Amino acid sequence: MRYNAAQAYLKTQVTTTSQEELVIMLYDAAIKFLNRAKIKIKERDMAQKGILISKALDIIAELDGSLNVKQGGELAKNLHTMYFYCNTRLLKANIELNTEIIDEVIHILSQFRSAFAEILPGAKHSTSAPASQASLY
C-alpha cells in the first residue's frame, strides 16, 4: 500500500514539474547514486555498487538522449561528448573499484547541474537565458 502511494506521488511530481526542473532532478539523482556507489565500494558490496553505477549510467543516457542537437547546436554536441566521457569513466570505475574516478564524474555532473540551474529559465536559482539555450533539451 505504501509503495503504491509513493509511486502515485512520484508520478504526480514528474508530470507537474517543468522540463528544466526534471533535468536538475536527473542530475541530483545521478550524483546521489554515485555517492552511494562509493560507499558500497568501501563496504565491498559489489552487487549494490554495480546497481547504483548502472542507475547513474541510465540517467546520463537519458540526459544524453534528450539533447536537442538541432536547436542546442555546438553546446548540445559538447554535452554529448562529456556524457560519453562520463559513461566511459564510470565503466572504468566500476571495473577497477575506483572511487576517485567516481568523484571526477560527480564533479562534472555537479558543474553541469549548477550551470544548467543558472542558465535555464524556470529552473531553481536561474537567471534569464537566451531562448536558444532554453531549447537545449
Side-chain angles (χ1 to χ4, degrees):
M1 176 85 162
R2 213 186 297 216
Y3 176 76
N4 290 338
Q7 287 293 351
Y9 172 78
L10 184 58
K11 184 177 181 180
T12 300
Q13 185 178 16
V14 168
T15 57
T16 60
T17 302
S18 72
Q19 184 178 12
E20 293 84 9
E21 289 173 322
L22 286 174
V23 171
I24 290 170
M25 288 169 61
L26 287 171
Y27 281 124
D28 289 342
I31 292 164
K32 178 185 78 169
F33 291 138
L34 292 175
N35 278 318
R36 288 175 52 200
K38 289 181 356 184
I39 293 167
K40 295 303 176 184
I41 288 172
K42 289 177 183 157
E43 293 174 351
R44 309 297 292 168
D45 185 344
M46 298 304 115
Q48 282 302 308
K49 174 264 316 172
I51 289 168
L52 292 164
I53 290 176
S54 291
K55 287 181 178 186
L57 286 167
D58 288 344
I59 291 170
I60 293 168
E62 182 67 29
L63 288 164
D64 187 40
S66 299
L67 288 172
N68 186 333
V69 179
K70 283 185 180 179
Q71 292 183 346
E74 195 65 30
L75 181 57
K77 290 176 186 173
N78 290 340
L79 278 171
H80 169 72
T81 300
M82 286 306 298
Y83 290 145
F84 180 79
Y85 176 79
C86 288
N87 280 341
T88 58
R89 295 298 287 162
L90 287 177
L91 293 172
K92 182 177 176 94
N94 193 28
I95 292 168
E96 296 179 359
L97 308 176
N98 189 323
T99 59
E100 290 176 5
I101 295 174
I102 294 174
D103 283 334
E104 174 191 356
V105 174
I106 289 171
H107 177 75
I108 291 168
L109 295 178
S110 296
Q111 294 296 314
F112 287 169
R113 189 241 185 252
S114 295
F116 195 82
E118 290 298 319
I119 65 170
L120 285 179
K124 296 175 185 171
H125 307 90
S126 72
T127 59
S128 61
S132 62
Q133 291 179 350
S135 56
L136 184 61
Y137 285 91

